[in-house]
Amino acid sequence: MPLSVRSWETADTAPTREVFRRSVHRTAADHCSPEQRDAWAPAEADLAEWGRARARAGTRVAVRDGEVAGFTDLSADGHIGMFSVHPDHGRRGVGAALLDDVLRTAADRGLTRLTVDASLTARPFFQRAGFTVVHEQRVHRGGQEFTNVAMRLDLPAAGGRGTRPRQVVWDMDGTLLDSTRVVPAAFVGAVAELGGPAVDVDEVVAAYSLGVPEAMLTHLLRRPLRPGEAEAYYRRLEGAAVDPYPGVAQTLDDLRAAGHRVAVFTGAAVRGARTLLRAAGLQVDVLIGGDLVERPKPAPDGLLLAARTLGVDPSDLLYVGDAPTDLGAARAAGAHAVAAAWGHLHDPAVSADATWRSPREALRVLPG
């Protein structure tokens, strides 16, 4: 299902208003009373004024299979005014694609900071992306009082990246390893063993952005994970058959021979990552797992830790990954974002600094 982000058009007036209304009444239901939701997004709206507001804001629209799935806008001073995802498209990469578009626009404008007044529902999403809380605030609308959160994200200064990167960092699943079947199957089997609801591969893949397996299992089980239950997942990885993508093994060998360390940053926990890398016959010199950092991709934490471990500036890194969250993490860290076109989550509509058709392209780009 292709996902793209484009400029707002007049025909998007009613669809974007409906996305906003549904996101308030469904997605935000846990944090707002019915009265608050009606005040925030009333059933009746002046569509002509809504359309004029969207046009003035320079709204960007996420579209999947011809359907408006979300929208956002960014002011000249770096404030994200609106950011809405249709609940039917939640946890399917729409928010990440919109935020990546915002980051690209900010970089093009030379902005050094983004700000947003996030709802309590949206706060965790922006925190995972690296935004920090400035303060909570009270706002009034339609006779109702709401609490939202002023947040900010400091960006690398324009021109901060080096003209030529010195070190590549690889994503693992979908970039080094063709784990398309192995990892989802392990989650599906673990959830079934632990008495959870029936889940399918698409649900597992949609939960990748949550980070480590423990967080994903909690989400898929729809309950807190009990001590020791994660073993149901890790046990299924032991002895699993997983292969590196074509060209990966030789590329890593050649990079090491040229004096480059082989570095990996994966959202998976270190334990699971080592199991899969070992099964694929790959050795790495630096392994940063999602359990070593506070926030998952697209927050920059993992790449910032990789840069410190490697003794280089984040701007010297190339981060190669297949998923939109990989590219978002690279942008947030000030690294070079490289899309792995061979990976199973690659979306050509998501912007990147470069797109590689083969891992062998690392040998052409890196010095030595």
Side-chain angles (χ1 to χ4, degrees):
M1 295 179 291
L3 174 66
S4 61
V5 179
R6 57 163 174 76
S7 296
W8 180 88
E9 301 170 354
T10 303
D12 298 323
T13 300
T16 51
R17 177 56 171 75
E18 184 64 9
V19 167
F20 171 65
R21 190 183 72 83
R22 288 182 179 270
S23 68
V24 169
H25 284 271
R26 288 173 54 186
T27 309
D30 288 344
H31 293 102
C32 296
S33 69
E35 293 77 17
Q36 287 176 313
R37 299 198 297 273
D38 286 338
W40 188 1
E44 300 298 326
D46 183 342
L47 287 182
E49 177 53 34
W50 174 269
R52 288 191 290 270
R54 300 281 61 72
R56 288 193 301 268
T59 298
R60 299 283 288 172
V61 179
V63 179
R64 172 174 275 134
D65 292 341
E67 178 179 329
V68 173
F71 68 95
T72 189
D73 58 66
L74 181 67
S75 70
D77 62 357
H79 185 71
I80 300 173
M82 297 197 75
F83 196 101
S84 294
V85 174
H86 195 294
D88 289 348
H89 293 272
R91 297 193 181 279
R92 297 173 63 192
V94 175
L98 286 170
L99 185 56
D100 184 68
D101 189 79
V102 166
L103 290 168
R104 179 184 57 77
T105 302
D108 291 343
R109 296 178 183 175
L111 298 174
T112 58
R113 176 176 293 177
L114 295 177
T115 61
V116 64
D117 295 326
S119 68
L120 297 181
T121 302
R123 172 178 175 167
F125 170 84
F126 285 106
Q127 284 183 310
R128 290 195 296 269
F131 284 73
T132 57
V133 173
V134 179
H135 56 79
E136 288 192 352
Q137 53 196 7
R138 300 284 191 272
V139 296
H140 293 84
R141 185 175 300 161
Q144 296 289 320
E145 183 178 85
F146 299 82
T147 300
N148 66 19
V149 186
M151 307 183 75
R152 78 181 191 193
L153 174 67
D154 293 321
L155 302 172
R161 292 186 303 182
T163 57
R164 188 176 187 186
R166 297 167 52 195
Q167 173 71 48
V168 64
V169 178
W170 305 87
D171 171 51
M172 186 182 72
D173 293 306
T175 301
L176 294 180
L177 305 182
D178 184 1
S179 53
T180 312
R181 292 190 179 91
V182 169
V183 171
F187 278 108
V188 169
V191 171
E193 178 184 329
L194 297 174
V199 297
D200 58 25
V201 170
D202 289 341
E203 290 176 89
V204 172
V205 173
Y208 280 172
S209 62
L210 297 177
V212 294
E214 289 77 6
M216 290 179 59
L217 285 170
T218 296
H219 169 73
L220 295 170
L221 286 167
R222 298 179 176 83
R223 63 167 174 80
L225 195 66
R226 302 184 186 107
E229 286 189 325
E231 291 300 316
Y233 167 75
Y234 289 112
R235 194 169 59 248
R236 282 171 167 78
L237 295 184
E238 296 292 343
V242 59
D243 295 315
Y245 281 100
V248 164
Q250 188 61 54
T251 297
L252 300 189
D253 287 345
D254 290 346
L255 286 172
R256 190 177 280 112
H260 297 288
R261 283 178 285 178
V262 174
V264 172
F265 165 45
T266 173
V270 168
R271 175 184 173 185
R274 290 197 187 282
T275 299
L276 292 173
L277 289 166
R278 183 170 59 249
L282 299 182
Q283 294 184 343
V284 302
D285 304 309
V286 174
L287 176 59
I288 306 295
D291 54 336
L292 299 183
V293 295
E294 181 179 353
R295 298 171 299 181
K297 309 171 196 178
D301 301 30
L303 286 176
L304 298 179
L305 177 57
R308 292 195 298 271
T309 304
L310 292 162
V312 300
D313 190 86
S315 64
D316 292 325
L317 297 180
L318 278 164
Y319 187 47
V320 185
D322 63 315
T325 51
D326 297 327
L327 305 179
R331 291 191 185 284
H336 299 256
V338 178
W342 62 89
H344 67 283
L345 292 181
H346 172 60
D347 183 349
V350 178
S351 62
D353 295 317
T355 299
W356 290 355
R357 303 296 169 187
S358 163
R360 302 291 293 168
E361 295 196 46
L363 301 170
R364 174 181 57 81
V365 174
L366 291 182

